[in-house]
Amino acid sequence: VMHARDADEQRHPASLTKVMTLYLVFDALDAGKLKLSDKMNVSKAASRAQPSKLGLKAGTTIKVEDAIRALVTKSANDVAIVIAEKLGGGSETKFVAKMNAKAKELGMLNTTFRNASGLPDKKQVTTARDMAKLGEAVYMDHENRYNYFAVSSFTWGKRKYMNHNELLKRVDGVDGIKTGFTNASGYNLMASAERGGRRVIAV
């Protein structure tokens, strides 16, 4: 740790939550439990998610790779629920249990997940230190898929969505990771940059 201020104060992760959701997607891809071309079903619960969302309709499908890109760029809450239900055997609650187990395994001792999207929940809490651990882990454990976090835009239907992380274009070496916002959390950022063979992660 090069610099820390209030690193262990309780925060709400907002859409930084989706980095853990993606971590588990990458785990499933590596384990052969999921393929990038797999189509995932959209449930009524997913279609009713609050914005930000793609506006997926119940009964349709979305490919895993499109889902990854939608989470990274648009931060789509409906897509996060689709993934959670796919990997949780139809239950977001079961997927959340996997999120919390992985958090514990990674040493994120002050983090509790309650949903896969980061939508407001008073009991969904974390710290900057824990999010930094997650940022490091997703790079170290899934370096071969880490380039998804640098995707600048995503096209779905007739719409093109730009990545909310504007540091990607403005700061040399930045290649991720995720932004977030809710009223309770304020603006959140988990950023990573590499220059000259050195990588820095900031939350």
Side-chain angles (χ1 to χ4, degrees):
V1 176
M2 298 171 69
H3 171 77
R5 189 176 69 203
D6 302 330
D8 298 304
E9 285 204 6
Q10 195 174 81
R11 312 282 185 197
H12 297 292
S15 280
L16 300 191
T17 298
K18 295 183 178 84
V19 178
M20 178 60 87
T21 299
L22 286 163
Y23 187 108
L24 293 177
V25 170
F26 298 159
D27 272 358
L29 287 166
D30 287 352
K33 295 177 182 176
L34 210 57
K35 294 198 294 287
L36 289 172
S37 58
D38 284 351
K39 292 181 178 180
M40 299 182 291
N41 296 319
V42 179
S43 68
K44 284 185 180 178
S47 70
R48 292 181 187 137
Q50 294 298 305
S52 172
K53 61 194 282 186
L54 280 188
L56 299 175
K57 290 184 168 56
T60 61
T61 62
I62 183 170
K63 284 184 183 177
V64 171
E65 186 160 27
D66 286 335
I68 292 169
R69 292 172 180 272
L71 285 199
V72 169
T73 55
K74 174 65 175 166
S75 203
N77 294 320
D78 48 358
V79 175
I81 295 171
V82 168
I83 289 170
E85 291 176 343
K86 174 68 174 178
L87 295 179
S91 165
E92 184 175 4
T93 302
K94 288 181 181 176
F95 180 76
V96 169
K98 292 182 179 183
M99 295 172 73
N100 286 316
K102 181 58 72 173
K104 191 174 180 182
E105 185 184 314
L106 296 178
M108 298 168 66
L109 303 179
N110 296 301
T111 297
T112 301
F113 292 113
R114 302 275 291 181
N115 60 56
S117 61
L119 281 166
D121 186 311
K122 287 180 181 178
K123 293 182 179 179
Q124 181 136 310
V125 293
T126 191
T127 64
R129 189 184 308 278
D130 279 5
M131 283 288 125
K133 288 179 181 178
L134 176 59
E136 182 179 18
V138 77
Y139 175 75
M140 297 296 287
D141 298 343
H142 296 293
E143 188 177 356
N144 61 325
R145 303 187 193 279
Y146 190 75
N147 59 341
Y148 280 116
F149 291 109
V151 169
S152 60
S153 65
F154 167 68
T155 301
W156 181 256
K158 295 178 181 178
R159 293 197 65 179
K160 185 176 183 179
Y161 301 101
M162 304 307 293
N163 196 314
H164 293 159
N165 183 3
E166 295 191 8
L167 292 181
L168 286 168
K169 298 174 186 173
R170 296 181 182 180
V171 180
D172 183 35
V174 170
D175 55 8
I177 305 174
K178 191 77 189 73
T179 63
F181 175 82
T182 64
N183 288 334
S185 74
Y187 290 98
N188 290 350
L189 174 68
M190 185 194 293
S192 181
E194 185 174 13
R195 289 185 206 160
R198 290 172 178 255
R199 177 168 295 277
V200 174
I201 292 169
V203 178

